[in-house]
């Protein structure tokens, strides 16, 4: 910029003409001027504190120095932690964030549920589906992910249940909301959903000593439904889960779903995230078995009647690799391209599988036809 008459914001600088604007402040709608690049660098440690101040819409990025992989940014401040009535039973980590029972149970021993425990899982998974459907019905341009968190929290406690994510290893919210390039574990905040977004809502409920776990990815507005890449990654994730469920029965090896998922993902030019996997779920939120979603994995164990676990493939439009934000939770694609995920809690029966978190006839969302069989970046190179 051309030099103008304006006091420099540099530390201990008396210059009255400036020729440089801070690029981060520009994005945040903050006016800041410096007389030179050297003055800007010298003042950086003091100046960057300003980036944590609210922008014109009252939100701010708490990690202004972080190298994000795509356009998504956190929108703080987070709302205060939501209260759970004292009479609602809660898991052992609800106070100090430490899932002590999970820590004690670490290993490859897989729980076989009895009839009473299976009924407990059926109940909690039905409630989990109800809560997810309430959240999904809200999805539209103009709402924030924090509004979804509030709805999930309220719907959960109305069912005399505890939102399993809340304070699990200090996760601050009652649901995970993962938008666009976020693979999983997105923290609900003040960001407003816009037409063209996709959002995964991951709901987990704790009721009468059992956890249910379920997530789906939804289109935000007509632009998302008209975006071939968005539809491809969402529907591939959905189809990968459905294909994997088809092979679940007694005797299935826990390494097998990854072969099915990887094959379909490869056929459509997408990739499978390797960092996260499906898991056992019952009285513990996460336990054995591990169920990887990629081919040639080393998972151990075989499915038997009475076992409960999730399959939850995360499918990326580009690379499978992930990068975690400084909040220690939000996992995003390293190339900034879209990611989608679907999850069900499954019960192995004597002759197959029962999808405990199955969709209802009036559940929001649902499959849509593919607009393209390959990601746009692959089609363009042909």
């Amino acid at each position: 910029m051309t030099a103008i008459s304006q006091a420099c914001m540099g530390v201990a600088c008396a210059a009255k003409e400036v020729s440089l604007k801070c690029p981060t402040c520009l994005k945040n709608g903050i006016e800041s001027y410096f007389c030179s690049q050297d003055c800007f660098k010298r003042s950086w440690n003091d100046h960057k504190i300003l980036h944590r101040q609210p922008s014109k819409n009252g939100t701010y990025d708490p990690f202004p120095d972080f190298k994000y992989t795509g356009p998504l940014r956190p929108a703080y401040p987070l709302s205060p932690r939501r209260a759970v009535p004292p009479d609602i039973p809660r898991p052992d980590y609800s106070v100090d964030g430490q899932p002590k029972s999970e820590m004690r149970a670490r290993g490859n021993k897989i729980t076989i549920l009895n009839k009473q425990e299976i009924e407990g899982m059926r109940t909690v998974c039905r409630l989990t589906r109800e809560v997810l459907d309430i959240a999904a019905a809200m999805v539209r341009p103009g709402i924030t992910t924090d509004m979804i968190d509030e709805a999930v929290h309220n719907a959960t406690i109305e069912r005399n249940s505890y939102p399993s994510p809340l304070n699990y290893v200090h996760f601050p919210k009652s649901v995970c909301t993962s938008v666009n390039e976020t693979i999983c574990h997105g923290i609900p905040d003040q960001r407003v959903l816009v037409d063209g977004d996709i959002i995964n809502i991951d709901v987990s409920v704790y009721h009468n000593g059992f956890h249910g776990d379920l997530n789906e990815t939804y289109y935000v507005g007509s632009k998302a439904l008209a975006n071939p890449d968005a539809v491809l990654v969402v529907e591939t994730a959905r189809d990968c889960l459905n294909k994997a469920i088809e092979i679940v029965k007694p005797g299935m090896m826990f390494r097998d779903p990854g072969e099915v998922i990887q094959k379909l993902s490869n056929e459509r030019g997408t990739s499978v995230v390797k960092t996260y996997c499906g898991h056992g779920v019952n009285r513990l939120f996460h336990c054995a078995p591990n169920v990887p979603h990629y081919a040639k994995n080393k998972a151990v164990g075989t499915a038997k009647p009475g076992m409960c676990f999730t399959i939850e493939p995360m499918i990326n439009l580009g690379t499978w690799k992930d990068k975690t934000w400084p909040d220690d939770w939000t996992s995003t694609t390293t190339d900034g391209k879209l990611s989608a995920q679907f999850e069900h809690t499954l019960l192995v029966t004597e002759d197959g599988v029962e999808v405990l978190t199955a969709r209802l006839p009036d559940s929001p969302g649902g499959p849509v036809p593919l607009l393209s069989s390959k990601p746009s970046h692959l089609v363009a190179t042909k």
Side-chain angles (χ1 to χ4, degrees), residues 212-269:
D213 204 0
L214 167 67
N215 77 60
E216 295 190 19
T217 302
Y218 303 94
Y219 302 98
V220 183
S222 58
K223 288 183 179 178
L225 286 164
N227 179 349
D229 281 347
V231 173
L232 178 64
V233 74
V234 171
E235 298 308 319
T236 298
R238 190 195 314 270
D239 292 345
C240 282
L241 173 58
N242 291 338
K243 285 287 186 183
I245 291 173
E246 289 177 3
I247 70 167
V248 178
K249 61 182 179 181
M252 180 202 75
M253 294 183 177
F254 289 118
R255 65 171 180 260
D256 291 345
E259 301 292 333
V260 173
I261 292 167
Q262 187 82 61
K263 182 176 184 296
L264 178 56
S265 177
N266 288 351
E267 289 172 355
R268 296 191 185 173

Side-chain angles (χ1 to χ4, degrees), residues 91-103 167-170:
D92 61 1
Y93 54 79
S94 64
V95 176
D96 63 5
Q98 300 301 316
K100 295 174 282 296
S101 54
E102 287 187 15
M103 296 174 185
N167 209 36
Y168 179 79
V169 196
H170 306 293

